[in-house]
Amino acid sequence: MDRDCCLRVFACEQNLLSRPDGSASFLQGDTSVLAGIYGPAEVKVSKEIFDKATLEVILKPKIGLPAVQEKNQEQIIRNTCEAVVLATLHPRTSITIVLQVVSDAGSLLACCLNAACMGLLDAGLPMKSLFCGVTCALDSERGIILDPTDKQEKESRALLTFAIDSLEKKVLMITSRGSYSIEELQQCIATSQKAADKLFQFYRDSVSRKYSKS
Amino acid sequence: MREPPLSNCEKSFLLKAIQEGKRLDGRETYDYRNVKISFGTDYGCCIVELGKTRVLGQVSCELVPPKINRPTEGIIFFNLELSPMASPAFELGRQSELLVKLNRLLERCLRNSKCIDTESLCVIAGEKVWQVRVDLHLLNHEGNIIDAASIAAIVALSHFRRHDVSIQGNEVTVYTPEEREPVPLSIHHMPICVSFAFFQQGTYLLVDPSEREERVLDGLLVIAMNKHREICTIQSSGGIMLLKEQVLRCSKIAGVKVTEITELIQKALENDKNVRKEGGKCGFVESMPKQWITAFKVEKALVDMSDVEEKAEEILSRAETPAEMASKPVLWAPGTAQIGEGLESSWRDMEEEGEVEDEDDEGGIDDPTLAVSQNIDMEDIPRKQEKNSDDVIILSDSEEDEVIILEPEESRKNTRSKHYAVPSAKKATGGKKKKKKFTL
Amino acid sequence: MAGLELLSDQGYRLDGRKAVELRKIRARMGVFAQADGSAYIEQGNTKALAVVYGPHEIRGSRSKALHDRAVVNCQYSMATFSTGERKRRPHGDRKSSEMTLHLKQTFEAAILTQLYPRSQIDIYVQILQADGGNYCACVNAATLAIMDAGIPMRDYVCACSTGFIEDTPLVDLSYIEEAAGGPQLALALLPKSEQIALLEMNSRLHEDHLEKVLDAASKACRDVYAVLDRVVRDHVQEVCTLLGE
């Protein structure tokens, strides 16, 4: 099967905002998401949890007010982050992740996940492992397309987004739209794990560059 | 989160420094911070950085019916949002005073000064006009939000291209960017806000206050001007008393600053236009600083897909086959069928809760009419019929007095008559459900 | 609006005034018995009512209390029958919130709040008929109401709106003149010291004309001050006569 398996140009800038504790801007092709992290910080008494940190994700779209779609994505990202962040180290505090969509040209949720992870790294919050987001689109003729653009997403028959962790390449989160077979699902997972390798290498390179002295 | 309060010693330090004519970042009294403008790949998207204050602007448009009292004019809508990422003090969903103030100021500066020709946005008078929506998001708050926001708004509006339309009689055809070049908006002039901060009851004046300076100021004067030296808006806020001379002096300073900033904007727009014309790459990726250690970029990466198929098959073969699914429904009677066995109810042993159990069954039948739970309901009905014949039914719901029914058959009739509504409802819903099932 | 001439060749406006003439101002103080201070003002056809309660203890959350000053709480609302078409939202929309903020800012600067720490002064203003110069009528009414309540102020706060047509500043705009869309300036002034408490301007005005317009506005505010001062003195005399002193 002829597959289009290359990831678009990706770029990341860390610590670009002065007010948040950690910030990162992640660009995948033309899709760009800016993440700002505040935490561990003061939490409202109504929201505090006695033994863990309260994790809150806010996703802001570029045009219009946030709707149900954004709330759904916020929940997905929150579940992924909660699985990874060591919240028990900071009880009765709040960790707020604010994501702003700067431009959307396909695979937005994966870009949000990547930006959130880099932001958490920049803020120095303790995590069990890193995570990354990869999107696969299943097309009628061409099989699996990694990191689809807007046009490819619209024409696909199924779109799957995975969050993959860095320790054992396990799947932290799957969300999908459309119908696909079990074999295709497993193939997509395997493909995403391969792509995740590249992404984690990118994380490592950018962080080592940030802390390099030369 | 609450903003950490400003300590008294920090406040007095700032004021003392201002009295001596010094600012924390080394600027002069009338100096502006660096303005940096970058554009995205879509038209109408830009990020403006005024020092460290960052604002994202996006313009979008759609066809809507016009306002009743202005049938030949388009609609322009501004919305500035203070993102929670900009400052720990900004929380989601609370319309604070600051937000109202900034939004009104922006509206007055850009809408009342008629910088955009709204008549040109009209497509069919009285029926369809363009509604242009400008969304501004504050990303980082380091002082002087209004200046950065007004620059972002006007840059985004100048950068934006709307779809081309053609009108034939009453038919409107909107062309996509591929069919016809999108058309820029007609902008008469560019109003830019300049903020002046007053300290010590108006004795000291600073242009473009930073976030720390904003916390200790007494009053703020915002003057919006365009490069033709026309004042578009003046707004004084805060509790200070101004003198006429101060206002006039500020307007002169504003004139100079606005000319500088307008030049910068024009240059940035020109640059972007040239890059796009030459077909070069544009967008935020390109405008990222490549030399910084905090920024990193990787070109297109090919992912090795050779062993993916084998890996997937291996996982599938190792996976256990799922438990045998109940395949065929067992027909009990016309209209009732059972799929699967269901679980044994663990409450059957407990006598006091026998009635609760019955109520549960009935509750289960009354509520759902979804196709999904149909099957379960079908299963429940024969089970309940079995149960009624088996159990001794205890009617009392109080746990204190034990009412024992002497004649179980009569009691069964009693329960049947007591819940007479249910069996007929059951049959009715069963019937309905039967129909539903067949149409599935 | 092209047919209507806002300023004729002889220098008369639509309602027969000259360019620097104010509309007729009629005001009454002490219109309500239960409020601490109240006033009613008519500027031409614009009618505004202001009511002041205070200074009293902070109502609601204690956290808003300032340890060294009084909190000034304002509300601006327009009656639903005040405009040509029935107004849906009397208060709470963006424009009213903005006017509220402006009122608050103006009076926080004018009232001697240091004399009443940890207390609250409420100012409620209602426009009964809007015919241009809403904000200015509110400010004038509120000044009178505060005087009636006996709260000490630095000076009167007088406000007036000014427009600019054909190189001439027009003072005290009516609704038609405002809707014509030219530049408008609203100025709230403390007359004795000539200090500007609030300055608000809309629409395009060339910088060179700013001084002219500001001068005309200041003069108009001083005229308003003369009228308000007269009203206050008459009221005090009346009250004294009634009390038999």
Side-chain angles (χ1 to χ4, degrees):
Chain A
M1 252 198 286
D2 182 24
R3 295 194 197 112
D4 200 349
C5 295
C6 56
L7 301 165
R8 296 181 281 181
V9 176
F10 41 91
C12 170
E13 192 179 345
Q14 293 190 17
N15 208 1
L16 60 165
L17 302 176
S18 64
R19 292 309 288 278
D21 297 326
S23 56
S25 165
F26 204 87
L27 297 94
Q28 268 177 240
D30 280 333
T31 309
S32 168
V33 174
L34 180 62
I37 319 275
Y38 282 104
E42 194 188 341
V43 66
K44 270 201 229 167
V45 183
S46 55
K47 288 194 201 159
E48 83 173 357
I49 306 178
F50 70 97
D51 61 344
K52 289 198 317 183
T54 315
L55 202 76
E56 203 186 326
V57 177
I58 300 171
L59 175 63
K60 303 207 103 194
K62 200 159 53 154
I63 300 177
L65 298 166
V68 178
Q69 160 88 333
E70 275 73 40
K71 281 269 171 277
N72 182 30
Q73 290 174 327
E74 281 174 17
Q75 192 63 0
I76 293 174
I77 299 171
R78 186 163 158 267
N79 288 341
T80 318
C81 293
E82 277 192 341
V84 166
V85 170
L86 294 171
T88 47
L89 285 179
H90 300 284
R92 287 195 305 283
T93 60
S94 80
I95 299 177
T96 312
I97 305 176
V98 186
L99 297 159
Q100 171 71 50
V101 176
V102 173
S103 66
D104 182 7
S107 43
L108 183 65
L109 188 56
C111 198
C112 290
L113 284 165
N114 293 332
C117 184
M118 294 239 74
L120 286 166
L121 268 178
D122 191 47
L125 284 165
M127 295 195 278
K128 262 184 248 164
S129 73
L130 299 177
F131 60 92
C132 74
V134 186
T135 318
C136 294
L138 286 171
D139 207 351
S140 29
E141 347 82 34
R142 289 199 307 173
I144 303 181
I145 305 177
L146 264 187
D147 203 17
T149 62
D150 216 11
K151 197 152 158 294
Q152 286 167 336
E153 273 189 0
K154 285 205 181 77
E155 293 168 0
S156 64
R157 70 173 152 89
L159 189 71
L160 299 101
T161 308
F162 302 97
I164 309 228
D165 95 320
S166 63
L167 281 179
E168 293 166 26
K169 303 286 181 308
K170 285 200 187 154
V171 174
L172 289 169
M173 180 278 296
I174 304 183
T175 182
S176 68
R177 145 184 92 68
S179 67
Y180 44 91
S181 69
I182 307 180
E183 292 83 20
E184 283 171 339
L185 172 66
Q186 291 300 337
Q187 283 175 6
C188 285
I189 293 182
T191 320
S192 314
Q193 285 169 335
K194 291 265 164 158
D197 277 333
K198 290 257 176 346
L199 272 169
F200 290 129
Q201 188 54 43
F202 174 71
Y203 285 1
R204 260 176 242 121
D205 290 339
S206 44
V207 173
S208 63
R209 185 178 151 104
K210 180 175 151 198
Y211 290 114
S212 66
K213 294 205 204 272
S214 54
Chain B
M1 259 168 283
R2 259 186 303 187
E3 183 81 47
L6 196 64
S7 58
N8 279 341
C9 58
E10 201 170 354
K11 194 169 167 177
S12 60
F13 175 71
L14 279 164
L15 286 172
K16 237 177 140 207
I18 292 169
Q19 279 171 8
E20 294 176 15
K22 293 192 186 2
R23 290 172 87 159
L24 281 189
D25 45 10
R27 286 186 278 158
E28 296 295 329
T29 342
Y30 298 149
D31 274 354
Y32 245 79
R33 289 173 284 183
N34 275 340
V35 177
K36 191 164 125 30
I37 303 175
S38 47
F39 296 97
T41 30
D42 323 324
Y43 280 117
C45 179
C46 73
I47 291 189
V48 170
E49 291 173 51
L50 177 62
K52 294 213 179 115
T53 305
R54 210 182 270 241
V55 178
L56 164 72
Q58 173 71 53
V59 179
S60 53
C61 67
E62 59 172 344
L63 280 173
V64 294
K67 285 201 185 129
I68 305 172
N69 50 351
R70 292 199 198 266
T72 51
E73 286 184 17
I75 306 171
I76 308 190
F77 181 67
F78 294 96
N79 186 29
L80 170 67
E81 276 190 36
L82 303 174
S83 169
M85 110 170 55
S87 164
F90 296 152
E91 279 166 37
L92 206 56
R94 251 188 354 162
Q95 242 229 2
S96 62
E97 277 183 14
L98 178 64
L99 192 61
V100 171
K101 197 174 96 162
L102 292 169
N103 268 310
R104 279 295 301 157
L105 197 50
L106 262 182
E107 266 184 36
R108 279 168 42 209
C109 167
L110 291 160
R111 193 189 292 170
N112 293 6
S113 65
K114 306 240 180 351
C115 64
I116 299 209
D117 184 12
T118 42
E119 302 263 335
S120 69
L121 294 174
C122 177
V123 177
I124 300 182
E127 281 180 36
K128 283 210 181 297
V129 298
W130 284 111
Q131 177 186 47
V132 174
R133 195 198 157 99
V134 183
D135 282 292
L136 299 162
H137 298 271
L138 178 69
L139 300 174
N140 198 33
H141 176 32
E142 278 286 355
N144 206 1
I145 304 175
I146 186 64
D147 287 15
S150 76
I151 298 177
I154 201 67
V155 166
L157 283 167
S158 313
H159 190 243
F160 182 60
R161 305 273 181 273
R162 64 170 171 84
H163 300 295
D164 197 7
V165 283
S166 71
I167 313 168
Q168 280 115 9
N170 261 344
E171 285 257 324
V172 177
T173 340
V174 181
Y175 295 106
T176 59
E178 284 88 39
E179 294 169 10
R180 270 206 214 171
E181 272 295 306
V183 170
L185 299 173
S186 70
I187 297 180
H188 294 310
H189 63 103
M190 292 195 182
I192 310 244
C193 292
V194 178
S195 303
F196 298 89
F198 289 94
F199 302 87
Q200 307 282 57
Q201 299 308 314
T203 342
Y204 300 99
L205 167 71
L206 285 183
V207 174
D208 187 17
S210 69
E211 204 256 334
R212 291 268 164 233
E213 291 161 356
E214 270 187 3
R215 297 241 224 151
V216 295
L217 55 68
D218 283 334
L220 191 69
L221 177 70
V222 179
I223 300 185
M225 276 176 84
N226 62 18
K227 67 170 186 210
H228 307 293
R229 293 180 57 233
E230 290 174 337
I231 302 179
C232 303
T233 299
I234 302 186
Q235 177 67 55
S236 76
S237 56
I240 35 122
M241 303 293 187
L242 296 172
L243 293 169
K244 193 182 76 165
E245 292 77 32
Q246 284 175 316
V247 177
L248 293 171
R249 193 157 49 109
C250 290
S251 69
K252 289 202 173 46
I253 301 169
V256 172
K257 293 293 161 198
V258 165
T259 348
E260 285 171 18
I261 297 178
T262 316
E263 234 180 76
L264 220 145
I265 296 179
Q266 299 283 25
K267 232 193 305 189
L269 284 167
E270 270 299 312
N271 264 351
D272 183 72
K273 204 158 73 150
N274 290 341
V275 168
R276 274 178 210 264
K277 225 193 303 186
E278 286 160 21
K281 286 194 275 197
C282 51
F284 293 121
V285 182
E286 290 313 306
S287 44
M288 232 173 57
K290 294 190 185 63
Q291 305 303 318
W292 292 12
I293 55 173
T294 53
F296 190 50
K297 187 171 127 179
V298 163
E299 294 302 327
K300 248 173 147 170
L302 209 60
V303 174
D304 181 19
M305 296 280 298
S306 43
D307 58 345
V308 160
E309 268 189 33
E310 288 93 37
K311 223 174 144 193
E313 281 178 29
E314 193 194 322
I315 294 178
L316 280 175
S317 59
R318 269 194 287 132
E320 296 166 358
T321 47
E324 188 56 42
M325 306 278 274
S327 40
K328 285 197 290 190
V330 177
L331 201 64
W332 286 97
T336 56
Q338 182 178 335
I339 298 180
E341 281 296 311
L343 292 172
E344 193 71 14
S345 167
S346 56
W347 288 8
R348 281 184 73 142
D349 313 318
M350 311 175 82
E351 294 224 313
E352 301 96 67
E353 310 195 345
E355 196 182 38
V356 182
E357 178 194 347
D358 281 342
E359 284 182 11
D360 266 5
D361 282 339
E362 285 162 10
I365 292 166
D366 281 340
D367 312 2
T369 47
L370 297 171
V372 178
S373 43
Q374 264 183 48
N375 299 334
I376 308 169
D377 288 343
M378 294 302 171
E379 171 199 345
D380 266 345
I381 292 165
R383 268 182 59 218
K384 188 197 152 98
Q385 284 168 354
E386 293 163 8
K387 270 214 214 97
N388 271 346
S389 40
D390 294 340
D391 286 353
V392 172
I393 294 145
I394 298 175
L395 287 174
S396 143
D397 36 4
S398 97
E399 296 183 300
E400 287 160 356
D401 34 307
E402 281 207 47
V403 176
I404 303 169
I405 309 296
L406 294 170
E407 295 177 53
E409 286 91 359
E410 275 181 37
S411 75
R412 247 178 287 127
K413 277 195 210 126
N414 280 345
T415 55
R416 285 238 179 86
S417 59
K418 202 167 109 179
H419 303 286
Y420 66 89
V422 181
S424 56
K426 255 192 315 191
K427 291 220 179 67
T429 49
K432 275 193 222 140
K433 278 176 194 170
K434 181 177 84 172
K435 287 192 192 115
K436 258 198 193 174
K437 196 167 182 216
F438 288 160
T439 53
L440 267 182
Chain C
M1 292 289 161
L4 284 163
E5 250 184 16
L6 292 175
L7 191 65
S8 77
D9 302 321
Q10 289 91 20
Y12 289 108
R13 288 147 80 170
L14 285 169
D15 47 4
R17 288 185 281 153
K18 286 254 162 118
V20 290
E21 246 182 83
L22 293 172
R23 292 180 286 186
K24 188 158 170 63
I25 301 182
R26 275 181 294 242
R28 274 192 63 79
M29 290 168 65
V31 282
F32 289 133
Q34 59 267 54
D36 291 330
S38 56
Y40 171 73
I41 196 167
E42 277 182 28
Q43 255 180 269
N45 282 333
T46 305
K47 300 177 168 58
L49 186 60
V51 166
V52 171
Y53 290 94
H56 54 226
E57 202 184 334
I58 297 255
R59 305 260 168 80
S61 58
R62 288 296 150 90
S63 59
K64 290 208 196 122
L66 296 169
H67 65 280
D68 58 344
R69 305 201 299 271
V71 172
V72 176
N73 194 22
C74 290
Q75 198 192 53
Y76 165 91
S77 78
M78 294 181 73
T80 47
F81 44 80
S82 60
T83 46
E85 272 182 26
R86 186 174 183 272
K87 224 171 155 39
R88 290 279 174 81
R89 277 186 92 177
H91 53 84
D93 59 330
R94 272 187 188 172
K95 278 211 177 113
S96 309
S97 302
E98 194 197 13
M99 293 272 209
T100 311
L101 287 175
H102 289 167
L103 273 175
K104 182 174 150 107
Q105 165 199 327
T106 316
F107 285 104
E108 259 176 4
I111 298 177
L112 293 170
T113 45
Q114 276 85 3
L115 294 177
Y116 304 104
R118 305 191 144 276
S119 38
Q120 178 179 332
I121 300 175
D122 296 319
I123 306 175
Y124 298 113
V125 191
Q126 175 111 350
I127 299 268
L128 300 172
Q129 189 170 309
D131 187 31
N134 299 338
Y135 171 73
C136 305
C138 285
V139 170
N140 296 332
T143 304
L144 290 177
I146 294 175
M147 294 259 169
D148 191 41
I151 300 176
M153 285 206 289
R154 293 203 168 81
D155 196 355
Y156 282 73
V157 184
C158 305
C160 192
S161 59
T162 316
F164 195 74
I165 292 266
E166 294 169 21
D167 280 354
T168 330
L170 295 179
V171 153
D172 201 5
L173 301 169
S174 65
Y175 179 71
I176 304 178
E177 290 162 346
E178 272 184 5
Q184 294 152 33
L185 187 103
L187 185 73
L189 191 74
L190 271 63
K192 289 227 180 67
S193 48
E194 299 256 351
Q195 285 177 323
I196 300 173
L198 185 112
L199 175 62
E200 188 190 320
M201 207 207 79
N202 288 330
S203 218
R204 296 200 326 238
L205 174 71
H206 200 274
E207 195 192 337
D208 299 335
H209 303 307
L210 181 62
E211 192 172 357
K212 229 191 305 184
V213 174
L214 274 177
D215 282 334
S218 311
K219 169 99 186 15
C221 288
R222 283 195 294 274
D223 294 338
V224 171
Y225 164 62
V227 175
L228 292 183
D229 196 38
R230 181 85 254 134
V231 167
V232 171
R233 284 179 203 278
D234 286 344
H235 176 78
V236 169
Q237 200 157 24
E238 195 182 311
V239 167
C240 286
T241 333
L242 286 173
L243 284 175
E245 284 166 26

